[in-house]
Structures are given as C-alpha cells and as structure tokens.
Amino acid sequence: MTRNSRIATLSLVLSGALLASACGGGGFEEEGATSAPASASGPVELKMLIASSGDAETNAVKEATEAWAKSSGNTVTVTVASDMPQQLAQGFASGNPADIVYMDAALFGNYAKQGSLYAYADQIEDNDDFYESLREAFTYDGKQYCVPKDFSTLALQINTDSWTKAGLSDADVPTTWEELEAVSKKLTTGGQAGLGIGVGIDRLGAFIVQNGGWWLKDDASAGAANTPEVTEALDYVQRNVKAGNFQMSNQLDSGWGGEAFGTKKSAMTIEGNWIKGAVTNDYPDLKYKTVELPEGPEGKGTLQFTQCWGVSADSKAQAQAVELVKALTTVEQQMKFAEAFGVMPSRQSAADQYTEKFPEDAPFVAGGEYGHGPINAPGMEQVVADLNSKLEDFGGANLPQVLEGFDTNANAALGQ
Amino acid sequence: MSTLTTTAGPGTGRAPRRRRGVGQRQTVAGWLFITPALLGLGIFLIIPIVMALWVSFTDWNGRGSPFSSQVSLVGAENYAALLTEPGLSRQDFMISLRNTFYYVIGVVPLQTVVALLLAVIVNQKFLRGRTFFRTAFYFPSVVSSVAISLVFLFLFTSTGAINQFLAVFGIDGPVWFSDPRGLIHLIGDWLGLWSVSAPPAALAETQVLSLSVWEWFSGPSVALTAIMAQVIWTTAGTFMLMFLAGLQDLPTEVEEAAMVDGANRWQRFRNVTVPHLRPTILLVITLGVIGTWQVFDQMYVMTQGGPAKTTLTPAFLSYTAAFRQNQWGQGAAMAFLLFLIIFVLTSLQRYVLRDKDEAATRRAQRRQQRAARRKGVTA
C-alpha cells in the first residue's frame, strides 16, 4: 500500500465515522401518531415554536405559558420563528423538533401525512366546542390531530366617507352579488375603484364558496375547479374587474387589499380581522366599517384562516404538551389572547363574550358558522402556487384553461 | 508499512534513512496542519453533498433521518419528474431554467464589461480622488445583498425614483416588480412582429418540455430585468477589484513600448491590456457564470419567484421544493442538475477562452516528444 492510498483510506474511514455519527442522531419512533402520549416523568422542559405577529402576541403567549409552567412545575421556552415553514421543516427533519408549534391549516396536511404530528384531539373533553369547520381544517384521513388556536374570516370593509359621498345609506349595504356590483359601480370614481380585492385564491375563494363550489371535491380526492360553480363565481368577479367596478390589488399598485383600502385607492375591500391592526397602525385617519360578505346564489360564504396548537410526534413529553394546550385553549385564555392581539377565539362558547367586547367584529365572528377552511390536502402547495401565479393578472386570465390546468395538476398531486 | 519496505530496500545507507525520517515527520506535520481544514470541509461540505446525493434518489419526506428504514430508494424518479415526465414539477423547473438562462446572458457580459471599464478608469494615474472612486465603486459589494434588495424594491415601485426619472422624459414606467411581460415579447410587439395579447398560434401551441415555444422565447420579464440591473450594479465592484489587480500587474514598459510603436489609446487597450488580462477575464466570467446560475438572495427577498413565476430560479425552486413542499428528493435533484449545468458551462467556457498560443506550444512539444520516441525506437 502506498502512502497516498493509506492516507486516502484513513480519511475515508474518518469521514465514514463522521457520517455515521452525523446521521445516527436522528433516532425517532416509527409510528407516534396513534400511540399513547409519551410522558416524561418529573418536571419537563417544553419547547414552543411560534410565528408571532408582533411583540403583543409574543408577550401574551409567554405570559400564558409561564403561568402554566409555574402552576404545573414545568418550564416552557417560547421561540419566535423568523421563517415558520422553514423552521418547522428543519425541526421535523432533525428528529428533535419543538414540542408545541403553531401549525397553519395550509401546511397541516403535509405534516400530518408525514407523521410529524401527534393526534391528541380525542384527549380534549369538550372538543366539540371548537367550530366544526376549524376542526375539519385539522383533520387528515378522518382523524382530527390538533385543536384550533384561533381563527380569522373574511368580511367586507367599507370606507364610510366614500360611501356617503356616493349618496349611499345603511340600507344600501350589499347583501347579494347584484347589489355588490351596483354599489361598486356607484363607488367607482376616477381615483378610486369600487372594490379592491387582494390577489390570489385566498380572496377569490370566498366568491366560490358563496356559489356553492370549492376547488377540490369534498373528500379532497380530486380537483373540482372546472365546474359551473367555480367558473361562474370567477366569471362574476372577472366581468366586474374588466368593467372597472372591482380591481385586483396589484392593479392598484398595492401589496394587499388593505393597502389599497388604506391609501383610498379602493372604497371597499375584502379582508380579515387583521385589517383592524393595520388601519390603527398605518392609516389611523381612515373611517370605515365592516359588514358580512354579500350572499351568493348559494347563500353566505367566506374563507377561514386558522392555526392549531400542533404537538410533535417526536416530542418526549406529549402528555405535558397536551396539558399546556388545554390551558391555552380555555375560554378565559382565548379571550386574553383576543384582547392582547386581536384574534378570534376558536371556541363557540367564547363567541358571545367576544362579540360583546368587540361588537364591530360581529361580521367576522359570523363567518365562523359558514366559512370554508383553506386547501389542506397534502402535496397541494405547488398546485396552489401555480394557480395563484396564473390568476395574478386576473382580468386577463383565460379562466377555462386555468381551471382545467388546475384540475389536471391537482389530480396528479392527490393521486400520489 | 508497505511504504517502508518499498522505498527503503535492503542495503541503503544511513544518510537516506535520516532524510526519510525527516521527510516522514514533515509529512505528518503537514497532515496535522491541514486536518482542521479537512475536517471542516468534510463536515460542512463533503458529507452534506453525499447526503444530498443520497436524498435525491430517495422519497424522504423530511421527517427524521434520511437514512432510516422508512425511507426507500426510488432510483432516478426525482430526476425523471424534473426532466422527462410532463407535470407541474417539470414545468416549474423548465421555467426556472429559462429565466436563469436569460438572466445569465444578460448579467455576465454586462457585469464583466462594466467591471473592466471601472477598473480602467480608476487605474489611471492622473485621476483625482482615485481612492474615493475605488471605494465608491466597490462599496455595493460590501453591503449585504438583502439590504440592497430592499432599497431596490423602493427604487422600482411604480411611483419610485426610477419611474419619476423616466417620467421626466415622458416615459410611463412599468410597475417593475409585478410586471411578468417578457422583454423579447415586448420588443417584438413594439416592432410590430407579433402581438403580445394574441401570440402567433404556431409558437403558442407547440409545446417543448412543458412550455410553449412562445414561452421559451419570452426573454427576461420586466421584473427580472430590474433584478438584473441590481445584480450588475452590485457585482461590478467586486470584479473591478480583480481587473484592477490584473491591470496593476501590467508592466509600464510594455505599454510604453506600444506607445513608441505608435499605437493609439484604443489599440493599446485592445492589443496590450486585454490580452494581458486574459486570465482575469477568464476568472471573472467563470465566477460570474457560477454566481448567476446560483442566484437566490434577490428572489428570496424581493419576489419569491413571482410575478407569474418569471423570477423563479433553480436555486430558489430547489429551496421551495424542499422546505415548503416537503419534496426533499426533488429539491436535492434540482441542486445536482444545477451543479451539472454549471460544471458543463464552466468547462466549455474554459475551453473556448483557453490560451491558444500555450495550447499550440504544448501540442508542438508533445509532437516533438513523440517524434523523438519514434526515432529512438527505430534507432
């Protein structure tokens, strides 16, 4: 053996050893999703990863977890993610993820399918108290995995100055598509569009729900976009965009509907309860009111956005994590969160308390009854992203072609 | 062991053995010195690359170790999804290749020429405030690309500085970062060759690798062009520094000799400076090609691949496939395909830009050696 080859062998062995040690760290249980909770004895250290909207939210969560930690004798470390999807992926890949995470409904399907989440919803006694549509958003393969933290819905915001200037009164608040079209037309002036809509399916989807349709079949087995319900709903919006009554936010040079609304480029917009904070911070002089979205041909409809308290399948202290979740989802605690950073409680029993405290939010709360959650089937992000990119230029989009393409892609993704 | 017996045969004297001892000790010391670097390379480069190569052949979904028993090998399936199977994955990958191709074609030549020009300017001995200009031109390279990206986002808004400047000349500037229209499409439209709203059917209906011919020939989108402008502006300074080093290496005598020969400024630049800078040009273009094909930061910060996927690049797509869609195998496969593209292009360009004189000399030498050997055989 020559010297060189001996050194080569040595380095090979060395790197092999490193490789083994680098990969050996990721030991994890094979199933996890159905088993009894892993319960570490004695005081445990729980790690929590959250995607915070700001200091108010971070502090409120920290306060709540500290209170639980003190009373239960455990410790909880709250980490604020700077890039939630990326940090979630890193955590689950490492085999040593945070015990409790904010899990967005749109990401949930993938992680449930992957086996990264621990299904604990059956251990929550009054699970039925959470809105049914929210529980569905966290159901994969017939099993609810986690309980919703809170939720938001879309409603219609109206700039009251523009409204009175156009000679409209409270009686004119639109309750049907025809009325929405009519008031939008009246509100449209040279410098202001009647209705500004954020780009993408997270706003357009509301019209589809109002028309009794959805992007996917009910059991999420295949695409259902190329159906009359979906096509008619989008046609309605597109016709009005072409006529100039509605404008998409990118036509108004705005990042989202709220920006167009706040800068008075549109007299109305369709946004969720987060618009309250945005208006207070960025457009404090704006006078507006929120009403429920108008009914479509098939009745009321809106979109819901929600996150749940996800517990990791790889957590060593699932029992304690579930206890913490129970403490964080009491009516009392949900109301505290609502007061601190403006989210809506996911419990129906908290709805009355909430509307009493925030009467102006009644239209948002009402959406809890008839809203539709996001597409949460695993493997759909790429398909949804493709759809969104094709709907960017909504006025000029070739809808039949786009919807047919979506169905083809969705079927391929769901058939996997 | 074997080293000892082969190099030190029986009957060798004392002196060589001592020399060998010293040599061996030096070797050991040498290896000791480079061990930290080797360990660093191994842990942070070689092992991850080998792991990624493994992942690109598996269906690993991102949970736990990719080497566990649950992960199965799927052969070249991930590569097939990107290259041969019609579907969303191939469509996106092809879009990203198209975008990056136009991006490289636009950025590399321009950044090289601009860098060379800047270097020639700041290399002039009689330029006042030379140090100031050198610092100023180099400055963008030192600033974090994220910070610069944010500044450019503001510059290129529809009411931003760029559009206000254009308005002075009566030009109604586009909404840069949300404009997906391709430049070639726009120029053709302007020249009256075709209409963007109703593209020629022959081009729009012929599909090649999930994209229509019309889409392949879109050119960079307006949004991508704005990013290109930013990248040229930032990188030109870095490469200027390299050209400057090359220029300062050029002996004044050579230039003076050219002057004595009656060469004018342009001739001196063309026939003395540029040939002298050939190795630097090769370096700059190589680094440029590698850097541009890997572009990621700008897309991550500014556009996230939009508008209408026209700023999607393989590096960004690989990231989204892995971290957003949990398709780690495809993400890794994209990374290796990107590596292959860069490797082939770099080799090709090394071959095209090789020193032809040197290659000719070497060929001549080899021919002579062969001839000499043949002569030896016949003799």
Side-chain angles (χ1 to χ4, degrees):
Chain A
M1 198 193 255
T2 68
R3 175 175 302 165
N4 275 343
S5 70
R6 195 173 51 169
I7 286 157
T9 320
L10 185 78
S11 49
L12 211 88
V13 168
L14 200 69
S15 57
L18 277 171
L19 196 75
S21 63
C23 314
F28 59 94
E29 286 108 74
E30 301 279 307
E31 73 300 342
T34 47
S35 61
S39 169
S41 54
V44 292
E45 284 178 37
L46 288 178
K47 287 176 290 174
M48 181 187 272
L49 183 69
I50 66 169
S52 177
S53 59
D55 286 345
E57 179 165 2
T58 311
N59 293 335
V61 173
K62 277 188 178 160
E63 205 174 286
T65 52
E66 264 161 34
W68 176 81
K70 205 177 262 176
S71 69
S72 67
N74 301 301
T75 48
V76 184
T77 322
V78 177
T79 310
V80 178
S82 55
D83 186 333
M84 194 64 179
Q86 181 185 326
Q87 278 167 271
L88 278 177
Q90 283 167 333
F92 291 133
S94 74
N96 186 21
D99 302 279
I100 303 187
V101 296
Y102 275 19
M103 179 56 67
D104 194 89
L107 295 174
F108 160 79
N110 266 338
Y111 288 118
K113 185 183 178 194
Q114 195 186 75
S116 293
L117 292 177
Y118 171 65
Y120 65 84
D122 52 348
Q123 299 169 39
I124 309 286
E125 292 101 37
D126 48 357
N127 185 30
D128 290 346
D129 188 26
F130 296 98
Y131 287 99
E132 195 190 341
S133 51
L134 299 182
R135 280 184 279 132
E136 254 165 41
F138 300 109
T139 300
Y140 170 71
D141 222 2
K143 182 156 62 173
Q144 186 195 344
Y145 275 67
C146 49
V147 293
K149 186 169 75 68
D150 45 42
F151 77 112
S152 341
T153 61
L154 296 179
L156 185 69
Q157 285 78 33
I158 298 172
N159 182 329
T160 41
D161 286 342
S162 307
W163 188 260
T164 40
K165 208 177 283 172
L168 295 162
S169 68
D170 281 354
D172 297 314
V173 168
T175 55
T176 63
W177 280 7
E178 291 73 32
E179 290 175 20
L180 181 68
E181 187 171 343
V183 294
S184 297
K185 205 170 193 171
K186 272 193 188 156
L187 285 166
T188 303
T189 60
Q192 199 174 42
L195 174 64
I197 308 173
V199 179
I201 68 163
D202 284 343
R203 298 293 174 277
L204 293 170
F207 291 96
I208 293 172
V209 177
Q210 289 156 14
N211 202 30
W214 189 239
W215 304 101
L216 301 178
K217 286 187 179 163
D218 281 343
D219 57 355
S221 61
N226 201 8
T227 52
E229 290 88 357
V230 177
T231 316
E232 281 165 18
L234 295 182
D235 271 343
Y236 165 76
V237 181
Q238 196 181 42
R239 199 176 61 236
N240 278 290
V241 167
K242 281 182 179 162
N245 306 330
F246 302 175
Q247 294 274 282
M248 306 307 285
S249 58
N250 55 358
Q251 292 175 285
L252 300 167
D253 193 25
S254 304
W256 61 298
E259 188 186 335
F261 186 63
T263 52
K264 297 181 182 156
K265 286 173 186 158
S266 76
M268 298 189 290
T269 192
I270 296 174
E271 287 294 338
N273 27 329
W274 50 80
I275 198 165
K276 285 192 297 178
V279 169
T280 325
N281 290 330
D282 300 338
Y283 318 105
D285 302 331
L286 190 73
K287 290 198 190 65
Y288 76 104
K289 67 173 176 183
T290 298
V291 298
E292 284 183 61
L293 286 177
E295 275 181 45
E298 296 296 318
K300 290 185 174 185
T302 186
L303 295 183
Q304 292 174 339
F305 304 94
T306 178
Q307 296 187 322
C308 79
W309 294 106
V311 173
S312 303
D314 290 336
S315 164
K316 305 281 181 298
Q318 287 163 343
Q320 286 84 349
V322 172
E323 286 308 311
L324 175 53
V325 171
K326 282 181 190 166
L328 291 173
T329 50
T330 59
V331 173
E332 192 192 353
Q333 184 57 48
Q334 290 206 331
M335 281 306 295
K336 272 191 198 162
F337 283 152
E339 282 159 42
F341 52 98
V343 290
M344 295 196 300
S346 53
R347 282 182 179 277
Q348 297 177 51
S349 57
D352 288 343
Q353 260 190 61
Y354 183 84
T355 36
E356 206 169 293
K357 196 140 210 166
F358 306 99
E360 73 279 10
D361 279 1
F364 293 120
V365 177
E369 303 290 340
Y370 53 80
H372 199 298
I375 295 177
N376 69 347
M380 284 294 292
E381 300 81 10
Q382 198 181 13
V383 183
V384 170
D386 188 64
L387 176 63
N388 275 327
S389 84
K390 285 181 177 142
L391 294 178
E392 267 173 33
D393 172 24
F394 188 67
N398 179 348
L399 288 178
Q401 196 184 325
V402 170
L403 296 177
E404 199 185 320
F406 172 82
D407 278 355
T408 313
N409 293 332
N411 294 347
L414 296 168
Q416 272 169 11
Chain B
M1 311 302 114
S2 51
T3 339
L4 280 176
T5 45
T6 44
T7 48
T12 35
R14 203 169 162 236
R17 197 180 299 153
R18 192 196 296 146
R19 210 167 44 228
R20 192 180 60 235
V22 171
Q24 209 160 34
R25 233 177 300 144
Q26 277 181 345
T27 321
V28 171
W31 279 102
L32 270 179
F33 274 121
I34 60 166
T35 305
L38 271 186
L39 278 180
L41 279 181
I43 294 174
F44 295 110
L45 210 64
I46 298 173
I47 294 176
I49 288 175
V50 173
M51 286 171 84
L53 189 63
W54 166 263
V55 168
S56 78
F57 290 105
T58 65
D59 63 354
W60 186 51
N61 62 8
R63 181 176 178 230
S65 158
F67 300 93
S68 76
S69 55
Q70 287 168 313
V71 176
S72 45
L73 277 171
V74 292
E77 217 171 82
N78 290 318
Y79 292 90
L82 296 173
L83 297 174
T84 55
E85 286 164 19
L88 210 46
S89 297
R90 184 174 78 166
Q91 176 205 302
D92 285 355
F93 188 59
M94 290 303 156
I95 289 178
S96 78
L97 288 184
R98 174 200 68 183
N99 295 341
T100 318
F101 172 77
Y102 288 120
Y103 177 81
V104 174
I105 293 285
V107 170
V108 173
L110 271 173
Q111 77 185 7
T112 310
V113 170
V114 172
L116 182 57
L117 273 178
L118 292 181
V120 170
I121 293 169
V122 297
N123 191 41
Q124 283 170 5
K125 287 180 197 63
F126 307 109
L127 179 73
R128 270 165 187 261
R130 224 159 26 138
T131 330
F132 168 77
F133 284 115
R134 284 183 190 180
T135 317
F137 294 150
Y138 189 62
F139 199 69
S141 312
V142 203
V143 183
S144 115
S145 63
V146 174
I148 291 181
S149 300
L150 290 176
V151 171
F152 267 70
L153 271 184
F154 286 109
L155 282 178
F156 281 93
T157 57
S158 69
T159 51
I162 302 283
N163 276 3
Q164 285 181 12
F165 177 74
L166 288 177
V168 172
F169 303 97
I171 302 170
D172 192 13
V175 190
W176 293 90
F177 285 115
S178 44
D179 196 334
R181 293 173 301 166
L183 274 195
I184 295 182
H185 283 178
L186 285 179
I187 292 172
D189 191 271
W190 183 63
L191 291 175
L193 294 177
W194 52 64
S195 151
V196 173
S197 48
L203 296 181
E205 275 157 29
T206 322
Q207 295 267 328
V208 182
L209 291 169
S210 297
L211 291 187
S212 70
V213 178
W214 171 251
E215 286 171 308
W216 277 111
F217 285 100
S218 67
S221 70
V222 176
L224 190 61
T225 315
I227 296 182
M228 285 159 71
Q230 182 211 325
V231 170
I232 293 168
W233 180 71
T234 19
T235 50
T238 321
F239 294 135
M240 173 198 79
L241 209 63
M242 292 177 188
F243 280 125
L244 198 58
L247 282 173
Q248 296 192 331
D249 222 25
L250 176 65
T252 8
E253 300 87 54
V254 180
E255 202 157 343
E256 278 166 6
M259 264 193 240
V260 171
D261 286 343
N264 63 22
R265 210 169 246 262
W266 168 247
Q267 283 170 325
R268 287 204 306 277
F269 177 74
R270 179 73 195 79
N271 299 319
V272 177
T273 314
V274 171
H276 173 79
L277 285 178
R278 185 201 292 278
T280 319
I281 295 176
L282 178 68
L283 174 73
V284 166
I285 296 184
T286 308
L287 290 179
V289 167
I290 294 175
T292 45
W293 272 99
Q294 291 179 335
V295 61
F296 175 82
D297 305 14
Q298 282 79 12
M299 283 66 196
Y300 182 72
V301 176
M302 301 204 277
T303 58
Q304 296 279 319
K309 296 190 178 173
T310 57
T311 63
L312 210 56
T313 66
F316 184 72
L317 192 64
S318 162
Y319 168 81
T320 46
F323 283 96
R324 297 278 146 84
Q325 295 153 8
N326 287 331
Q327 293 176 327
W328 295 81
Q330 266 186 28
M334 269 182 238
F336 280 98
L337 288 174
L338 180 61
F339 163 75
L340 268 183
I341 291 172
I342 294 177
F343 183 77
V344 168
L345 285 179
T346 315
S347 313
L348 187 77
Q349 152 215 337
R350 258 180 68 104
Y351 176 77
V352 172
L353 283 181
R354 74 195 183 283
D355 192 333
K356 275 147 195 137
D357 295 342
E358 203 181 292
T361 328
R362 229 180 298 140
R363 253 201 313 277
Q365 264 172 1
R366 267 201 301 270
R367 213 175 303 128
Q368 263 173 1
Q369 276 169 357
R370 256 200 308 272
R373 227 177 297 137
R374 219 174 303 133
K375 216 178 278 167
V377 171
T378 45

